[in-house]
Coordinates of all heavy atoms in Angstrom, one line a residue:
F284 N -123.8 -66.2 24.3 CA -123.3 -67.6 24.7 C -121.9 -67.7 24.3 O -121.0 -68.2 25.0 CB -124.2 -68.6 24.0 CG -123.7 -70.0 24.3 CD1 -123.4 -70.5 25.6 CD2 -123.6 -71.0 23.3 CE1 -123.0 -71.8 25.8 CE2 -123.2 -72.3 23.5 CZ -122.9 -72.7 24.8
S285 N -121.6 -67.3 23.1 CA -120.2 -67.4 22.5 C -119.2 -66.5 23.4 O -118.1 -67.0 23.7 CB -120.2 -66.9 21.1 OG -118.8 -66.9 20.6
A286 N -119.7 -65.3 23.7 CA -118.8 -64.4 24.5 C -118.5 -65.0 25.9 O -117.4 -64.9 26.4 CB -119.4 -63.1 24.6
L287 N -119.6 -65.6 26.5 CA -119.4 -66.2 27.8 C -118.5 -67.4 27.8 O -117.6 -67.6 28.7 CB -120.8 -66.6 28.4 CG -120.8 -67.2 29.8 CD1 -120.2 -66.3 30.8 CD2 -122.3 -67.5 30.2
K288 N -118.7 -68.3 26.8 CA -117.8 -69.5 26.6 C -116.3 -69.0 26.5 O -115.4 -69.6 27.1 CB -118.2 -70.3 25.4 CG -119.5 -71.1 25.7 CD -119.7 -72.1 24.5 CE -118.7 -73.2 24.4 NZ -119.0 -74.2 23.4
Q289 N -116.1 -68.0 25.7 CA -114.7 -67.5 25.5 C -114.1 -67.0 26.7 O -113.0 -67.2 27.1 CB -114.7 -66.5 24.4 CG -113.3 -66.0 24.0 CD -113.3 -65.1 22.8 OE1 -114.3 -64.9 22.2 NE2 -112.1 -64.5 22.5
A290 N -115.0 -66.2 27.5 CA -114.5 -65.6 28.8 C -114.1 -66.7 29.7 O -113.1 -66.6 30.5 CB -115.5 -64.7 29.3
V291 N -114.9 -67.8 29.8 CA -114.6 -68.9 30.7 C -113.3 -69.6 30.2 O -112.4 -69.9 31.0 CB -115.7 -69.9 30.8 CG1 -115.3 -71.2 31.5 CG2 -116.9 -69.3 31.4
A292 N -113.2 -69.8 28.9 CA -112.0 -70.5 28.4 C -110.7 -69.7 28.6 O -109.6 -70.3 28.8 CB -112.2 -70.7 26.9
E293 N -110.8 -68.4 28.6 CA -109.7 -67.6 28.9 C -109.4 -67.3 30.3 O -108.5 -66.5 30.7 CB -109.8 -66.2 28.1 CG -109.9 -66.4 26.6 CD -110.2 -65.1 25.8 OE1 -110.5 -64.1 26.5 OE2 -110.1 -65.1 24.6
G294 N -110.3 -67.8 31.2 CA -110.1 -67.6 32.6 C -110.6 -66.3 33.2 O -110.3 -66.0 34.3
R295 N -111.3 -65.5 32.4 CA -111.8 -64.2 32.8 C -113.1 -64.3 33.6 O -113.5 -63.4 34.3 CB -112.0 -63.3 31.6 CG -110.7 -62.9 30.9 CD -110.9 -62.0 29.7 NE -111.5 -62.7 28.6 CZ -112.7 -62.5 28.1 NH1 -113.5 -61.6 28.8 NH2 -113.1 -63.1 27.1
T296 N -113.8 -65.5 33.4 CA -115.1 -65.7 34.1 C -115.1 -67.1 34.6 O -114.6 -68.0 34.0 CB -116.2 -65.5 33.0 OG1 -116.2 -64.2 32.5 CG2 -117.6 -65.8 33.7
P297 N -115.6 -67.3 35.9 CA -115.6 -68.6 36.5 C -116.6 -69.6 35.7 O -117.6 -69.1 35.2 CB -116.1 -68.4 37.9 CG -116.8 -67.1 37.8 CD -116.2 -66.3 36.8

Side-chain angles (χ1 to χ4, degrees):
F284 179 47
S285 177
L287 182 56
K288 285 187 69 175
Q289 183 174 352
V291 172
E293 295 174 354
R295 294 181 286 111
T296 300

